[in-house]
Amino acid sequence: MKTLYLCAVGNGEGIRLAHTINRAKERWERIVLLDDDEKKHGTKRLGLEVAGPFSLLAGADPASSEVVNLVTRTTGGRDAARAKIGGYGIPFASLVHPGVDLFGVEIGDEVTLYQNASIGAEARVGDSSVVLIGAVVWHGARVGRCCVIAPNAVINARARVGDLVYVGSNASILPDVTIGEAATVAANS
C-alpha cells in the first residue's frame, strides 16, 4: 500500500477529493500533507496534520509513494510547484473523482478532476491540469498542459485552450474558440 503526499494544502477541496477517492477504492495507506508555508506546519486540515515542507519528499520512497500538486491559485505557481515537487523523484498521481465519467475522454498525466466536473466525449485534458468542481470541458475540446479550469467554468465544444491558461469561475469559452498560452480568462466572462 502506498503513501500519498498532497503538496500545497491551502485547497481543502483537494484533501477532501483524495479522501473520497480512497474511500471508494483504497489506494493509499497514508495521506501526508506538505506545504512550504511554515505557518501551516503542525496545523490540521480535515483531520490531517501538515507534516512540513515539500523537502520532506527527499526522504520518501519512490517505489511506495505518490505525490499530487494541489496549487490552483495561478498557473505559473502551479507549474513552478510541479517542477519543485518533481525534483524529488516521487511519481505524480492523478486525482479523479469517482463520479467523473471518462468514457471516450483522454486525460494526461497527473490530472486532477473534481466532483461534478463534466468532460465530454473526445475531449482532452492535458498533463498537470485541474478541472475544479462543476466545470465543463465539452465534447472535442482540448485543454493544454498545467491549466486551471475554475469552478463552473465552461469550455464549449471543440474549443482549444493553450498551456498554462487559467479559466476563471463561471467563465464560458465559446465553441471553436482558441485561447493562447498563458492567458487568463476572467471570471464570469
Side-chain angles (χ1 to χ4, degrees):
M1 193 67 69
K2 292 185 180 258
T3 297
L4 176 66
Y5 292 92
L6 296 176
C7 294
V9 297
N11 175 359
E13 290 301 326
I15 300 165
R16 185 163 78 163
L17 176 60
H19 280 293
T20 299
I21 292 166
N22 214 37
R23 280 194 312 268
K25 183 178 179 195
E26 192 171 15
R27 264 174 76 176
W28 308 289
E29 183 176 23
R30 262 180 358 132
I31 298 174
V32 178
L33 307 181
L34 302 177
D35 203 294
D36 280 347
D37 181 350
E38 288 183 19
K39 291 180 237 146
K40 293 180 183 171
H41 299 171
T43 63
K44 287 203 171 194
R45 302 292 317 266
L46 299 176
L48 298 174
E49 185 173 321
V50 179
F54 294 177
S55 61
L56 290 180
L57 291 169
D61 177 7
S64 62
S65 303
E66 295 179 311
V67 65
V68 171
N69 175 11
L70 293 179
V71 172
T72 57
R73 185 169 293 157
T74 68
T75 57
R78 182 171 179 75
D79 198 36
R82 188 210 172 284
K84 183 175 186 178
I85 294 163
Y88 294 104
I90 306 302
F92 282 94
S94 288
L95 292 182
V96 177
H97 189 279
V100 175
D101 183 0
L102 294 178
F103 181 76
V105 172
E106 183 183 348
I107 63 168
D109 295 328
E110 64 193 86
V111 168
T112 302
L113 304 175
Y114 283 81
Q115 70 187 36
N116 301 322
S118 183
I119 315 297
E122 299 178 332
R124 182 181 198 304
V125 178
D127 296 345
S128 193
S129 288
V130 58
V131 181
L132 290 158
I133 296 169
V136 174
V137 177
W138 212 223
H139 68 88
R142 298 284 182 260
V143 173
R145 183 188 69 77
C146 211
C147 292
V148 175
I149 312 303
N152 300 316
V154 177
I155 313 297
N156 275 290
R158 299 169 308 280
R160 302 286 186 259
V161 175
D163 295 342
L164 297 163
V165 170
Y166 192 102
V167 180
S169 297
N170 301 310
S172 184
I173 298 173
L174 298 175
D176 302 307
V177 168
T178 297
I179 304 296
E181 186 172 316
T184 298
V185 178
N188 298 313
S189 62

